[in-house]
Amino acid sequence: MLVRPWDRDKDYDTLVKWWTQWEFGIVPKECLPPEGVVVELDGKPICASGLYVGEGTQFGFMEWVVSDREAERRKLHESLKLCIDSIMALAKDKGLKLVYTATKHEALGKRYKKYHEMVLTESNVKTFLRDLDGNYTKDLEWIQDEEQYSKRNK
């Protein structure tokens, strides 16, 4: 397996394909962090994740962990471990002291604790977003859960 930096322009179509496979909304390219990794198996991307770095801080936010839903489970397990470990290594290389993430997916939460030494910090949280220029609130499927998306789009 090969880990490489992600390229938002070149990798975006692959990310869109994976989000679609998982019935997740499409994250606007300009909202993705410039830092991230892609894990490849035999020259084919299998999973990816991004890392937002708080400028002037030692704090990072790991987000958009996604994989090829059609990948073989055992290889996917190995590649996700490598992907998340690589994000942590990237964070260390950038001088970060903390990496935060959030997930509603129980399996991913278990993975964070079991394989990546992450600590559960909140178990019941509500998230909020403000669209500062009015261009993003038309379609928030990519960032809203089903309940909020349904309420908003009645």
Side-chain angles (χ1 to χ4, degrees), residues 4-143:
R4 63 170 174 79
W6 79 4
D7 180 313
R8 288 182 296 185
D9 293 321
K10 293 178 183 173
D11 293 316
Y12 190 68
D13 289 342
T14 299
L15 297 172
V16 168
K17 176 185 170 190
W18 293 344
W19 292 324
T20 302
Q21 288 175 342
W22 290 102
E23 297 179 2
F24 188 75
I26 308 302
V27 180
K29 187 189 310 184
E30 64 274 11
C31 292
L32 292 172
E35 302 287 343
V37 298
V38 174
V39 176
E40 294 182 349
L41 176 63
D42 300 325
K44 182 181 173 195
I46 190 169
C47 66
S49 181
L51 178 67
Y52 293 95
V53 176
E55 189 175 328
T57 75
Q58 295 180 332
F59 183 84
F61 184 70
M62 178 176 63
E63 186 57 295
W64 317 121
V65 177
V66 66
S67 64
D68 183 347
R69 190 170 187 168
E70 297 170 358
E72 191 265 313
R73 281 202 179 281
R74 193 168 123 312
K75 294 295 182 189
L76 185 55
H77 169 75
E78 294 171 18
S79 67
L80 279 169
K81 182 167 186 338
L82 183 57
C83 181
I84 296 166
D85 284 346
S86 297
I87 287 288
M88 297 304 162
L90 176 62
K92 283 183 180 180
D93 289 348
K94 299 233 167 252
L96 304 184
K97 302 293 184 192
L98 295 167
V99 175
Y100 182 84
T101 194
T103 185
K104 69 177 184 178
H105 301 287
E106 189 173 333
L108 198 49
K110 287 180 181 179
R111 167 178 290 283
Y112 291 153
K113 290 188 284 185
K114 183 173 183 177
Y115 300 110
H116 304 288
E117 302 177 29
M118 297 187 85
V119 176
L120 179 64
T121 56
E122 300 174 88
S123 56
N124 188 18
V125 67
K126 297 192 183 302
T127 63
F128 298 86
L129 177 74
R130 179 167 176 196
D131 182 351
L132 297 174
D133 67 7
N135 290 327
Y136 292 97
T137 52
K138 295 174 186 98
D139 181 13
L140 293 177
E141 181 184 14
W142 60 278
I143 201 161

